[in-house]
Structures are given as structure tokens and as C-alpha cells.
Amino acid sequence: MYKKALSLLLAGAMASTLLACGSGAKSNSETTKTEAAGTEKAEAAGTEKAAEGEAEGGHIVILTAPEDHGWTGAVATFAKEKAEEINKEGKYTAEVITCDDASYQIHQIEDMISKGDKSLKGIVIQPIDDTVQSGIQQIIDAGIPYVAFDRIIDGVSDKAVSNVKGDNEGIGAGSAAYFVENGLKPGDKVYVYEGDTSSVTSLRNKGFTDYLTGEAEYDGKKIADDKKWTEDDLKKVTYSGAMNWSRSDTKTAFESLLGEKSNADYKWIYAEDDELAMGIIEALNGGGIDESVKEQFLSNKPFITGCGGLEDMYSAIRGDSYQDLVSKMGGLMSVTYSPSMIQTAIQDMVDHLEGKEVTKDHVIECVNVTKENVKDFKSFN
């Protein structure tokens, strides 16, 4: 499959490529534009040999999740950027394939393996969900090295070259530490906007509560003994249920929350993604909340956290947008969970093929991004 992709899309000269599978397939006109742009890049870089699949080191395939919202879309962008870099260097060829569902991702794996092409030297995969374990097992059985990214499947993780992911527990711990640093006391009311029902959400919840009870640390430090929470204190933490990583769903949910005036006393809002945090900000900036309730909520100087690195969020943190609203808040913060981590996963595969030592469990440390340090961090759209 990937040979066809290279010959059809790269036209013998493209530096990198992205195939949209399933319902996300591009139109013919879009594909033509992609071919032309890729050809120009390849010719400019002198990578005709790499584009033709003749690189001495062989071929690397990168399978990512669908481009259905900002973070995953940015993963594909960073993956293409890294693939282009590899193709320009000329030792290996690299190809990025995005798929809209798990069954198609498994099909891609089965198709590649069935070809038995010896030029396929490694696969980097961001599994759509846990059902992709069957496909990954086929990669393992075929003796093809693989690197897992973001969604790590426990049943096959020990066979990976490396498992690259952000620190989901660290995101929760970072948010809790930020709240405590700004005055959160044991038993204060906290509202958590959850992403979905996956292990990602469970880990972000766990990191948050574990920091408060003294079981986890952030930035090498644990909560002070006199600020630790008890199990009874944790009953003051309210969870939204799955927001499906959706800004609009969170906006609607927050408007509903403040539809009850008694909820205007919430001061600590932990959103488990920047999209969710932006849903809250848009709700506060819009007309869906009674102005008197909104005024009461903001009078508490609320603190809102997200994570990811979304430019909309960083812009608000910098003070470039929503200036009046943010000025009335206690603070706005985003924990890093950059989609650029896919480039670390791809580099891990290259390093493995080069015979270099690779970290097996490659967890990318997270950092709290505030108005004081936001200029030091790169965002994504």
C-alpha cells in the first residue's frame, strides 16, 4: 500500500506525504495540490532518490489518528514535518498515514505486512483505540520494529522499541499544584471537566487527586503536610463526565452549570484539555450565562487550567485575547502536552535503526505554562 502511495502521491519526488484514510479522504483537487507542493519540495531538496523509495536505510511508516480536532490534527502536521526532514536527509524514506477508525488502521497494517516488502524497516503508530492491539501483534509477529505513541496498549507495550507519551498523571498533578500554590485549601470546591472515558482521563484525574493527598509530586516537590487533602476532602471534587474533548460541549455544560446560581461560588476549575478550557472561556465571554451570575462567579477570582498548548489558550494567557475577561480571573494556566511529541517517537525509531540506545518508556515531562513563561513555549492551532 505504501508503495502505491509513494508512486501516486509523490510522483517520484515528494519529500513527505500524508494519506487521509476512510471518510477523511482528500478530494482529487486537493490531492493534485499536495502532489505539486510535495514535488517542488523534493526537487528543491534534491531528494529524488528518497522519494523513489531507494534510500539505503529502508522505509518507515507513521500511522496516526484522524485529524478530527486540534491536537490530533497537529500530531499529523508535526509528523509530516519530521517525515520531510527524514526524506531530505536521504538515508530513509518516511510516509505518514492518517486513518479515521481503528478497523482501517488495522487494515493498513495487514496490507503492509502482506506485501512482505523487505524495505519496510519500522512502524511508528498512534493507535486509534485498544482494538488496534491485534494489528500491532501482527507487526510484532512479522518481526518489524514498532514505536507506540500517545495511546499505549499494555498488552503489547513490552514488545515496542519505545512507548512515547506525555505525562498524563503529571498534567493532573501540575494543575493541582498550581491551585495549591494560589490558595486552594483542603475541602475547597473543585470542578473537573473530563475529556472522555479512556485511561487518559483516568490518569489525569489520578494525578490531580494523588498530588492533593501527597502521593504524587510536581516539579520534584510534594504538597506540604499542612495542605494535604483527606479522602473526605476529595468528596468536594465534582466531575463533569465525558466532554468528548469538545469545546462546544464544554461551553454548553458550563452554561448549564452556572444556570444554577449556587454554582457561581466555584473558584477552582480543572479542565483536562485546552479545548475544554476554551469552552469555559467562550461561555463566560458569551451571552448564555445570566450576567448577575457571571459577575458573581468572576468576583471570586476563579482559576482555570487546561493542557495541550493550543494557540487560542496561549493567546488568552499572554493577554492577546479575552483581555477584559482574563483580567477579572485569578489565573489561567495550561500544562504542556505538545503534539510535537510525535517527532520524538519518530526519532526513536530512527535511532533504533541506527543502533542507538532508545528509552523504552519515554515519558515527556510536563510544565505549567502561565503568563510568566508562556513566551517560552510553542503553541499549535
Side-chain angles (χ1 to χ4, degrees):
M1 191 274 176
Y2 66 84
K3 277 189 170 181
K4 290 181 181 179
L6 284 172
S7 62
L8 290 173
L9 292 180
L10 300 179
M14 184 175 179
S16 63
T17 184
L18 171 65
L19 301 182
C21 306
S23 62
K26 292 183 178 180
S27 67
N28 289 336
S29 61
E30 288 175 317
T31 301
T32 302
K33 291 177 183 177
T34 301
E35 289 174 358
T39 300
E40 290 174 5
K41 289 180 180 178
E43 289 175 347
T47 57
E48 292 86 351
K49 185 176 180 179
E52 290 166 1
E54 298 176 0
E56 60 178 294
H59 191 62
I60 299 168
V61 173
I62 303 140
L63 297 167
T64 70
E67 298 179 76
D68 59 359
H69 77 280
W71 197 88
T72 52
V75 167
T77 298
F78 282 111
K80 287 188 286 181
E81 184 180 276
K82 184 66 176 178
E84 182 178 339
E85 175 188 316
I86 290 170
N87 286 330
K88 284 181 178 179
E89 289 174 353
K91 184 170 183 178
Y92 304 94
T93 54
E95 172 188 5
V96 179
I97 302 175
T98 68
C99 298
D100 286 346
D101 55 59
S103 62
Y104 205 100
Q105 195 171 55
I106 294 169
H107 172 74
Q108 292 298 306
I109 294 168
E110 292 174 342
D111 190 55
M112 286 186 286
I113 292 174
S114 70
K115 296 293 189 286
D117 197 305
K118 300 301 182 183
S119 68
L120 178 58
K121 297 301 182 182
I123 297 173
V124 178
I125 181 168
Q126 179 190 22
I128 302 293
D129 59 34
D130 285 357
T131 65
V132 181
Q133 178 172 338
S134 63
I136 294 176
Q137 187 61 54
Q138 292 181 62
I139 296 172
I140 295 167
D141 293 343
I144 300 170
Y146 91 96
V147 169
F149 171 66
D150 185 38
R151 295 167 175 143
I152 309 303
I153 301 175
D154 290 339
V156 288
S157 62
D158 63 326
K159 300 298 184 182
V161 169
S162 72
N163 298 291
V164 179
K165 61 181 180 179
D167 186 357
N168 282 302
E169 288 190 50
I171 287 167
S175 293
Y178 176 72
F179 286 165
V180 171
E181 176 186 325
N182 285 283
L184 177 71
K185 297 179 179 62
D188 281 354
K189 290 174 63 175
V190 178
Y191 204 96
V192 179
Y193 279 92
E194 300 177 290
D196 57 16
T197 59
S198 72
S199 61
V200 171
T201 291
S202 297
L203 290 169
R204 293 181 185 185
N205 287 343
K206 184 176 186 297
F208 187 82
T209 56
D210 280 0
Y211 181 86
L212 293 178
T213 58
E215 297 173 59
E217 61 180 35
Y218 171 73
D219 196 24
K221 300 174 184 177
K222 289 188 175 182
I223 191 171
D225 287 342
D226 62 343
K227 295 180 180 178
K228 285 183 181 178
W229 287 46
T230 66
E231 290 301 317
D232 281 341
D233 292 328
L234 292 178
K235 293 176 182 177
K236 290 290 188 177
V237 179
T238 301
Y239 298 91
S240 67
M243 292 290 103
N244 303 308
W245 309 110
S246 167
R247 184 184 304 203
S248 60
D249 286 359
T250 309
K251 180 176 182 288
T252 300
F254 188 75
E255 289 172 345
S256 178
L257 178 71
L258 291 196
E260 294 288 337
K261 192 171 184 178
S262 60
N263 291 326
D265 62 347
Y266 273 106
K267 182 181 179 72
W268 313 100
I269 310 290
Y270 165 36
E272 295 183 340
D273 185 83
D274 283 348
E275 289 285 356
L276 311 189
M278 287 306 303
I280 297 167
I281 290 171
E282 289 184 0
L284 289 169
N285 196 59
I289 300 171
D290 183 273
E291 287 300 320
S292 65
V293 177
K294 188 186 301 184
E295 184 178 340
Q296 182 179 339
F297 175 77
L298 291 172
S299 70
N300 290 324
K301 292 289 183 180
F303 287 80
I304 299 174
T305 69
C307 79
L310 186 68
E311 170 56 23
D312 285 355
M313 185 70 164
Y314 278 19
S315 176
I317 292 172
R318 288 194 303 264
D320 295 339
S321 59
Y322 300 100
Q323 294 175 343
D324 183 58
L325 174 62
V326 174
S327 69
K328 296 175 182 176
M329 293 168 49
L332 188 64
M333 186 274 285
S334 175
V335 189
T336 55
Y337 195 85
S338 174
S340 66
M341 293 184 292
I342 185 64
Q343 297 190 347
T344 298
I346 299 168
Q347 187 60 49
D348 275 0
M349 177 56 71
V350 172
D351 288 346
H352 171 74
L353 296 177
E354 295 283 302
K356 298 177 182 178
E357 185 176 349
V358 175
T359 302
K360 182 79 168 181
D361 294 309
H362 204 153
V363 179
I364 310 299
E365 185 180 15
C366 57
V367 179
N368 286 355
V369 178
T370 65
K371 62 182 179 181
E372 285 77 24
N373 65 352
V374 64
K375 66 181 183 301
D376 300 327
F377 294 88
K378 184 178 180 180
S379 62
F380 67 90
N381 291 311

